[in-house]
Amino acid sequence: MSALKTDQRVPEDENMTGDSPTSPPPSNRSGNEALREMSNPHRGRAIKDLIARIAMWVSFFVAMVPLAWILWTVVSKGIHLLLSATWWTGNQRNINSSDVGGGARHAIEGTLMMAGVTALIAVPIGILTAVYLVEYGRGGLARAISFMVDILSGVPSIVAALFIYAVWVTTFGLDRSGFAAALALVLLMIPVIVRSTEEMLKLVPNELREAAYALGVPKWVTIVKIVLRTAFSGIVTGVLLGLARIMGETAPLLILAPYTKNFQHDLFNGNFPTLPMMINQDRGDFALASAAARMWGTALTLILLVLLLNIIGRVIAHFGSVKK
Amino acid sequence: MSTVTGVSATDDPPGPDGRTPLRGVSASTGRLGDRLFGGAATVSGVIVIATVTLIAVFLIVQAVPALRDNQASFFTSREWAPGGDTPRFGIVEFLWTTVAASTMAMIIAVPFGVAVALFLTQYAPLWMRGPAAALVDLLAAVPSIVYGLWGLITFAPFFKPIQGWLENTLGWIPLFSPTGISGGTILFIGLVLSIMVLPIVTALSREVFAQTPLAHKEGALALGATRWEMIRTAVLPFGRPGVISAAMLALGRALGETIAVTFLVSSLPDGAAWTWSLFNGGETFASKIANNAAEFSNPNKTGAYIAAGLVLFVLTFIVNSIARIVIERRKAFTE
Amino acid sequence: MAKRIDVSDLNVYYGAFKAVEGVSMTVEPRSVTAFIGPSGCGKSTFLRTLNRMHEVIPGGRVEGKVMLDDQDLYAPSMDPVMVRRTIGMVFQRPNPFPTMSIYDNVAAGLRLNGVRNKKTLDGIVEQSLKGANLWNEVKDRLSKPGAGLSGGQQQRLCIARAIAVQPQVLLMDEPCSALDPISTLAIEDLINELKSDYTIVIVTHNMQQAARVSDRTAFFNLKATGEPGRLIEIDETTKIFNNPNEQSTEDYISGRFG
């Protein structure tokens, strides 16, 4: 009777606890025998363990190959453009795919501006929705909101863009513009903010709310001054990660915000420059060295921008987290 | 001293001990503030509900006229000629390409992603975990257009001979039959999508695996389990709902991915023969819409693309709903 | 300054569950009343109804009457926020606001209610910290985080925070259960001093503590799990501990002591 065989002892789906009901009682055989079997695991078990270990290491390195390859390609092919001052000061006016030169400042500014406007709309709605879900909501409305946030987080960016197109252009007859694209990005950013803020608010101990209530502090003051204040760094991190996510979104720009090679700070009229659209601009001519270099340079700029936001977010999360 | 009279504390005379009583404009009970703030929170939530409802309503309302004029079967036709007096369009080809490429991406990315997450939480040496996790998180944040760019310029030429070899070797299987298309095949797009969503699966799975209660793990190890057995009995069951939701999130991304696919896809000529082959080209919903954004000239044409977008919306809606149901079920079991 | 609390025939519910049944008692001003009893007997639940903190928990509601002198705490016109400003509470685990300094913690109740005057705040903070026997230990580091203090100091900080809003009554829900014996002693000394100014109600699991600090003691019990808790008797502490009227009180007390 070899009761200690892996498969019988620990069925795959059993959530292991100290006294798993499926483990056979050891009483009907000598303790010595059991000990011997344990200290010398069944060979199959040891081999399985070894295979798993090797598989994990191999998976890791196999998975890292394309990812490292991508980063390396972008950096090595894009860096030289970024080292020239013009890249950070100029735009692409009158520069064709086959031309070298020009800068990306117009697109950097455009991307930042659009992200800023998006955040201005999405952040208050997102945070207040999270506040409702954690601090006020119960019952049907809260469940409905939570469900809708889930749905919204699954809406593909192209569908969000089509929706804004259907409202903005088809229904109201307005022109495509940077602001229309920002509205589509708002739809994509809200669920990110709601979910991350919700997580952070749930982490705030209930005791702090009670302490404030017991001091005769009204609920809304408690939420604003105690709960949101305590969760502040986490919320900021969530906002920055959400921003990083929407800055690289291209589909809404493709549908709603045609690219321009010039400086443009008007979100409501005319074409609008952004980094993803600057990459897209040269797509058809990627065989030209000048166009490919510009695409890599722009991609690297975009990655650096996203990376910068990520790092700031993590630094805030690290140093701003409440020490116990 | 303040008394329990319901009046503002500002009305109170100074206390007998000479301490200044509560004073200040907002030393009220905050009922008005509560109503305003709670109201604002509620309104925000309602905005979210309204938005999602409006998305569905607007897409449907604008798709219906085009669908009514459609002379072909929307779900089974392979034609796409939405303009003119007798528009004919159907989505079956986009549906196949989208689902096939996304499924392929999942088949590759989920096992790899879970394995990498297990590696990072259970196997990797300690010095490696932090930097490697940070790298994965960074890659999860890299915009998809970068993956598209890399796929187009760097990976496609590299993959071409491999694809040719596969075609020659596996061509006798219908799924891999040669089609003469060498660039952006469904297989190639699926592969790039898998590389794109891998960091997402890894980052989310890693987070849940890392939260496995130490007691569960020690419980398993104390019973003499090997590390792999400990993972199967403690880490995987604990992390399963998280892995499922990570996979579903990744699937949603793959289904709706626009720009990377648009960069890579080989669109088919009109009247190309139908084939189940993964070596075929063909547009996905998202790439078809994106590639024709400039064509949104008349309402009927736009309506056809919106109808296609609507199908994509429903598709991702179903995927998300399944994920939610699965997670709720698991929760009911484990709590 | 201190006020009397009169409770008559109070039932407490959480949703459909009746947690406490038929409690009537009087809490005397300028004295310490201790609530004792086995776990789950409803003494903490009942305590929370004295400043309407039970309403924070979804489904919490009461039937019956609680009077603070001549004020009905559950009158329809009564705002729970005002009730809590008048009847302060100290919790089981010290819960200073983690984002705030020691000074800000004590000033929190005033500031969050709109007091901005720096001089007023300085005065009240000093007075409250002195009142909580904490001033000498922290006066040189008022701007340091409150969470950096020891557990006992944190609890005294929470008491200072509670008395800074100048309440009439101070409710304490097992204030020493998370503290070591020396910190416990410091809190007990403090309670002794505070009772000259405040009406104090303390829930405790520690019967020696009840005997040491309280003037009157109330014993709560429940028949069985799932049944509502009841007040068995309330009397002078010496009477409860030496010669209680009820057999179950004697059993409980002697069981613990023996």
Side-chain angles (χ1 to χ4, degrees):
Chain A
M1 185 191 90
S2 157
L4 270 180
K5 260 204 183 139
T6 323
D7 309 325
Q8 292 164 25
R9 203 166 57 92
V10 270
E12 188 177 10
D13 275 332
E14 195 63 41
N15 208 339
M16 173 72 77
T17 51
D19 50 354
S20 168
T22 48
S23 41
S27 52
N28 56 354
R29 51 163 207 271
S30 83
N32 269 346
E33 188 190 332
L35 247 183
R36 211 176 316 119
E37 276 187 54
M38 282 205 189
S39 60
N40 180 14
H42 196 281
R43 259 184 79 195
R45 295 176 55 203
I47 289 172
K48 263 191 206 164
D49 189 48
L50 186 67
I51 291 173
R53 184 181 299 265
I54 294 170
M56 299 295 167
W57 278 90
V58 171
S59 306
F60 175 71
F61 284 106
V62 170
M64 283 301 125
V65 165
L67 298 173
W69 188 1
I70 290 171
L71 284 186
W72 168 247
T73 313
V74 177
V75 172
S76 64
K77 294 194 173 181
I79 191 75
H80 70 277
L81 272 182
L82 270 62
L83 294 178
S84 79
T86 347
W87 184 258
W88 303 100
T89 56
N91 60 18
Q92 292 288 317
R93 190 180 184 135
N94 297 329
I95 293 176
N96 293 320
S97 295
S98 52
D99 300 334
V100 183
R105 191 189 184 100
H106 63 307
I108 296 172
E109 286 178 354
T111 290
L112 289 177
M113 249 184 91
M114 189 176 284
V117 170
T118 305
L120 222 53
I121 304 171
V123 170
I125 295 179
I127 290 180
L128 280 171
T129 303
V131 165
Y132 179 83
L133 289 176
V134 178
E135 308 290 336
Y136 289 94
R138 61 193 49 97
L141 185 61
R143 267 203 304 278
I145 293 173
S146 188
F147 180 67
M148 290 301 180
V149 170
D150 268 8
I151 299 298
L152 201 53
S153 69
V155 169
S157 54
I158 188 95
V159 173
L162 273 181
F163 165 63
I164 297 297
Y165 188 91
V167 176
W168 192 263
V169 181
T170 315
T171 306
F172 291 117
L174 299 163
D175 281 335
R176 307 183 198 199
S177 64
F179 186 73
L183 284 181
L185 295 178
V186 165
L187 298 182
L188 302 174
M189 192 174 184
I190 285 178
V192 180
I193 306 280
V194 175
R195 286 295 173 234
S196 64
T197 305
E198 212 186 339
E199 289 303 309
M200 290 303 138
L201 293 184
K202 281 183 187 161
L203 287 181
V204 175
N206 228 358
E207 295 157 8
L208 298 183
R209 297 182 180 88
E210 295 206 329
Y213 293 149
L215 291 172
V217 178
K219 181 166 182 168
W220 78 276
V221 180
T222 304
I223 293 172
V224 174
K225 295 280 179 65
I226 304 292
V227 180
L228 287 178
R229 174 70 194 83
T230 307
F232 184 73
S233 67
I235 294 172
V236 171
T237 304
V239 168
L240 290 175
L241 295 183
L243 269 182
R245 158 124 163 64
I246 57 134
M247 277 200 323
E249 279 293 350
T250 316
L253 307 173
L254 220 48
I255 307 278
L256 294 163
Y259 173 70
T260 169
K261 293 178 174 179
N262 300 322
F263 285 113
Q264 165 69 283
H265 296 125
D266 187 349
L267 274 161
F268 290 92
N269 295 296
N271 296 357
F272 199 77
T274 47
L275 287 167
M277 288 300 277
M278 186 172 159
I279 300 175
N280 187 58
Q281 174 72 15
D282 286 320
R283 184 172 101 208
D285 297 315
F286 73 92
L288 298 171
S290 54
R294 186 157 38 239
M295 289 165 91
W296 290 120
T298 315
L300 182 57
T301 311
L302 185 57
I303 290 182
L304 288 179
L305 221 53
V306 168
L307 179 65
L308 190 68
L309 279 180
N310 266 282
I311 291 174
I312 296 174
R314 278 168 216 287
V315 167
I316 290 176
H318 184 75
F319 289 102
S321 65
V322 173
K323 309 273 186 316
K324 263 281 164 189
Chain B
M1 283 315 305
S2 61
T3 49
V4 197
T5 54
V7 294
S8 158
T10 35
D11 300 339
D12 295 334
D17 50 1
R19 281 200 264 174
T20 325
L22 298 175
R23 195 192 303 278
V25 273
S26 61
S28 65
T29 57
R31 273 184 176 170
L32 180 66
D34 267 337
R35 214 173 298 145
L36 289 176
F37 187 75
T42 315
V43 166
S44 294
V46 171
I47 288 177
V48 171
I49 295 185
T51 306
V52 177
T53 317
L54 282 180
I55 292 178
V57 168
F58 262 87
L59 293 184
I60 290 171
V61 163
Q62 303 211 359
V64 162
L67 287 174
R68 208 185 294 129
D69 291 347
N70 188 7
Q71 305 293 314
S73 160
F74 181 63
F75 286 107
T76 58
S77 169
R78 291 179 55 223
E79 291 172 85
W80 191 266
D85 292 336
T86 54
R88 301 180 64 83
F89 57 90
I91 52 151
V92 65
E93 202 175 283
F94 314 143
L95 187 64
W96 159 248
T97 318
T98 304
V99 171
S102 304
T103 310
M104 249 202 69
M106 285 302 105
I107 290 173
I108 300 171
V110 171
F112 263 107
V114 171
V116 174
L118 284 176
F119 174 80
L120 290 177
T121 54
Q122 315 294 331
Y123 286 95
L126 280 177
W127 60 266
M128 213 169 148
R129 293 185 186 186
L135 180 68
V136 169
D137 284 357
L138 166 66
L139 285 160
V142 167
S144 56
I145 193 168
V146 176
Y147 288 89
L149 183 61
W150 173 80
L152 178 71
I153 300 185
T154 311
F155 193 45
F158 174 85
F159 190 66
K160 212 168 170 181
I162 300 177
Q163 189 156 274
W165 178 80
L166 281 173
E167 229 168 343
N168 288 335
T169 323
L170 300 172
W172 51 275
I173 308 172
L175 206 56
F176 298 101
S177 59
T179 61
I181 288 177
S182 58
T185 61
I186 296 176
L187 183 88
F188 179 67
I189 288 172
L191 198 57
V192 173
L193 284 180
S194 75
I195 295 170
M196 191 188 97
V197 297
L198 178 76
I200 300 173
V201 178
T202 305
L204 295 175
S205 308
R206 188 186 64 82
E207 262 170 41
V208 282
F209 289 154
Q211 285 167 4
T212 311
L214 197 58
H216 290 198
K217 293 165 67 175
E218 286 180 343
L221 290 174
L223 285 173
T226 61
R227 183 179 294 246
W228 171 238
E229 287 162 0
M230 180 274 284
I231 289 172
R232 284 206 330 179
T233 54
V235 179
L236 285 181
F238 178 85
R240 187 162 301 159
V243 170
I244 292 171
S245 68
M248 288 297 163
L249 190 83
L251 178 55
R253 282 285 185 82
L255 287 171
E257 175 49 39
T258 308
I259 194 67
V261 177
T262 308
F263 265 47
L264 304 173
V265 76
S266 306
S267 51
L268 295 173
D270 280 343
W274 172 263
T275 160
W276 293 100
S277 176
L278 292 177
F279 289 118
N280 201 7
E283 302 260 18
T284 66
F285 285 110
S287 74
K288 185 73 189 175
I289 298 167
N291 266 331
N292 295 284
E295 254 192 59
F296 292 0
S297 46
N298 75 62
N300 247 0
K301 235 175 175 178
T302 313
Y305 289 102
I306 286 180
L310 192 61
V311 177
L312 180 60
F313 181 37
V314 172
L315 211 58
T316 51
F317 178 89
I318 292 171
V319 167
N320 283 313
S321 304
I322 292 173
R324 202 180 163 97
I325 291 167
V326 170
I327 293 163
E328 294 294 320
R329 277 237 184 103
R330 295 296 307 187
K331 248 191 210 161
F333 266 107
T334 49
E335 274 170 13
Chain C
M1 181 147 182
K3 293 198 176 185
R4 173 197 315 273
I5 302 176
D6 271 302
V7 183
S8 46
D9 213 17
L10 195 80
N11 299 324
V12 189
Y13 296 85
Y14 286 125
F17 175 66
K18 195 181 208 178
V20 177
E21 183 177 61
V23 175
S24 300
M25 70 162 69
T26 298
V27 176
E28 299 292 342
R30 289 196 174 75
S31 71
V32 179
T33 304
F35 294 173
I36 61 170
S39 298
C41 69
K43 54 193 187 306
S44 288
T45 304
F46 174 66
L47 184 80
R48 292 173 73 97
T49 64
L50 297 183
N51 70 342
R52 298 182 63 168
M53 278 298 285
H54 68 286
E55 291 171 11
V56 173
I57 297 161
R61 65 192 167 87
V62 299
E63 292 166 1
K65 214 167 191 182
V66 181
M67 302 289 291
L68 185 72
D69 282 0
D70 52 356
Q71 303 280 329
D72 182 355
L73 294 189
Y74 286 95
S77 61
M78 190 62 67
D79 190 321
V81 171
M82 286 313 295
V83 173
R84 291 174 201 145
R85 230 171 258 175
T86 314
I87 305 180
M89 191 157 192
V90 176
F91 297 86
Q92 194 167 349
R93 282 193 13 215
N95 53 359
F97 297 125
T99 54
M100 296 185 189
S101 67
I102 293 171
Y103 181 99
D104 292 340
N105 259 288
V106 180
L110 298 163
R111 276 212 182 124
L112 295 177
N113 283 313
V115 179
R116 291 272 172 274
N117 186 316
K118 179 91 173 65
K119 254 175 123 179
T120 314
L121 287 175
D122 283 351
I124 294 182
V125 166
E126 181 173 345
Q127 215 161 359
S128 306
L129 283 170
K130 278 179 176 159
N133 289 342
L134 193 60
W135 176 251
N136 287 330
E137 293 159 61
V138 301
K139 65 179 177 211
D140 301 323
R141 44 172 174 155
L142 289 175
S143 59
K144 294 271 157 54
L149 298 172
S150 76
Q153 287 172 325
Q154 284 189 19
Q155 193 61 299
R156 276 180 283 150
L157 178 64
C158 292
I159 293 175
R161 183 176 67 186
I163 60 180
V165 294
Q166 301 163 358
Q168 311 281 343
V169 180
L170 213 48
L171 308 177
M172 299 184 166
D173 189 358
E174 299 182 40
C176 303
S177 65
L179 304 182
D180 62 77
I182 292 177
S183 308
T184 300
L185 199 65
I187 302 277
E188 287 180 7
D189 287 345
L190 175 58
I191 292 173
N192 254 320
E193 290 170 29
L194 289 173
K195 78 173 175 186
S196 54
D197 286 326
Y198 302 94
T199 305
I200 294 177
V201 183
I202 176 171
V203 168
T204 177
H205 267 294
N206 178 332
M207 261 170 303
Q208 290 98 322
Q209 183 171 60
R212 282 195 298 266
V213 300
S214 71
D215 304 297
R216 285 161 59 82
T217 297
F219 173 63
F220 287 77
N221 205 349
L222 75 176
K223 287 204 186 86
T225 335
E227 296 277 309
R230 291 161 187 279
L231 172 66
I232 304 301
E233 63 178 312
I234 175 167
D235 215 323
E236 297 296 322
T237 298
T238 46
K239 176 96 169 25
I240 292 280
F241 279 89
N242 296 319
N243 184 21
N245 288 329
E246 299 289 329
Q247 185 59 43
S248 62
T249 313
E250 181 153 14
D251 290 347
Y252 181 73
I253 286 165
S254 58
R256 287 297 166 100
F257 275 144

